Every structure is written in structure tokens, then in C-alpha cells.
Amino acid sequence: DAASGWALALDFGLAYQPPSGRWQAGAALRGLGGALGQGLLPVGAPRPPAPWTLDLGASYRPPGAPLRLSLTTTWGPGAQSFLYDETPSQRLWRSFTLGLEVLPTRVLALRLGYSARRRAELAPGAEGLTLAGISAGFGLTAGRFAAHYAYVGYGAVGGASQVAVAARLGKAATR
């Protein structure tokens, strides 16, 4: 037997960067929506909502330093952990992702990130070196265009490469 259903989810986001350009902040509400129609649910049964998340982030570039520090957090039903024995303090710590971006030139950005949640979920009790929770990549910018590459480590199951190409519709980016 085949099963099917339809759902609709929307994402909304805001970003702010003051004229100084030293810091940036953003928020995204992702996955708002839910199932369309009954699908496989019994007639009259309530439709479950989509597992939305609220992402909040900020970054700071110290004066005179060729680097940017970032901190992001994710909350909501879509951010549920597979670690059911977490304490509240572990849940709080693991909701954050730390990032470092080194900017050696106006064209090149080198990036490194750490996700405590990904590390805890994919390499529980791991001793020694594992790439779970670690990400690294780089970006190249030329005027209004940019290309980015990132490797995200998933521990024993391997990792994922991510590639993005972007075009800025407003003014060309400045660093």
C-alpha cells in the first residue's frame, strides 16, 4: 500500500547590521505550517502542526582583527534532541553553535564551527578524535557574487559537503 499526504511550511527571517558593520544579528522562524487535508489521519482527528524552530544568531568582528565570532541557538519542537536524558543545563548548552570566521583577504573567508548537540547525538561517549560536531569551510567573494563550501562532520557515519553560490541584490558586500 502507498501512503501520501501534503503539507505546507513557510520560513520567515530578519537580519540587522548597523552601519559600523562590527556586529550582525538575525532571527528566523522556520517550518510554520502543517498538513493539508486529512492524509492518513482518521476523519475528524486533529492535524499535527509542523515542527517549527526559532533560530537566533549574532556575530561580532573586533576592531582591527581579521576575524568574526558567531553564536547561534535553535529552539522549538523542530529542534528536539534525540538525547532524552539531558539535564536542563545540558539542553541549554547544546542548543548553541559556535563559529569562527578568519578573513585573511577581502576575497577569502576561512570558517570553523562547533555544534555541541551534533557532537553529543552522533558521538555519545566518544573518546579520542572524532569530527562529529565540527564543521569547516571557506568562501570566495567577488563583487556581488560569492561561492561557499563547507564540510560538516557526522562522526562514524561520515560527513556532508555543502556548496552554495549567491548573488547579492543590493550593494556589493563589504568586509
Side-chain angles (χ1 to χ4, degrees):
D1 288 330
S4 66
W6 289 85
L8 177 66
L10 301 172
D11 300 339
F12 299 96
L14 297 171
Y16 177 73
Q17 180 176 4
S20 72
R22 291 278 166 226
W23 64 273
Q24 300 173 24
L29 192 53
R30 299 184 299 132
L32 288 176
L36 301 175
Q38 275 312 112
L40 297 175
L41 297 172
V43 175
R47 288 178 272 177
W52 61 270
T53 59
L54 174 62
D55 301 330
L56 302 172
S59 68
Y60 177 72
R61 183 172 178 197
L67 59 91
R68 182 177 291 124
L69 306 168
S70 65
L71 180 67
T72 59
T73 185
T74 300
W75 292 93
Q80 292 298 322
S81 173
F82 296 107
L83 305 170
Y84 299 108
D85 58 345
E86 285 182 313
T87 65
S89 62
Q90 287 173 324
R91 190 172 305 117
L92 176 64
W93 159 244
R94 290 177 181 158
S95 74
F96 289 100
T97 301
L98 307 171
L100 170 68
E101 182 178 48
V102 178
L103 308 162
T105 69
R106 296 182 67 82
V107 174
L108 176 67
L110 304 172
R111 301 178 180 113
L112 187 63
Y114 177 74
S115 169
R117 173 156 319 283
R118 189 175 298 131
R119 166 79 178 190
E121 289 179 349
L122 297 174
E127 294 185 22
L129 183 64
T130 176
L131 292 179
I134 305 258
S135 58
F138 65 91
L140 298 170
T141 302
R144 296 180 192 271
F145 301 96
H148 308 278
Y149 170 80
Y151 176 83
V152 181
Y154 292 117
V157 298
S161 291
Q162 300 174 344
V163 177
V165 177
R168 181 178 287 271
L169 299 177
K171 293 190 307 184
T174 60
R175 287 195 193 171

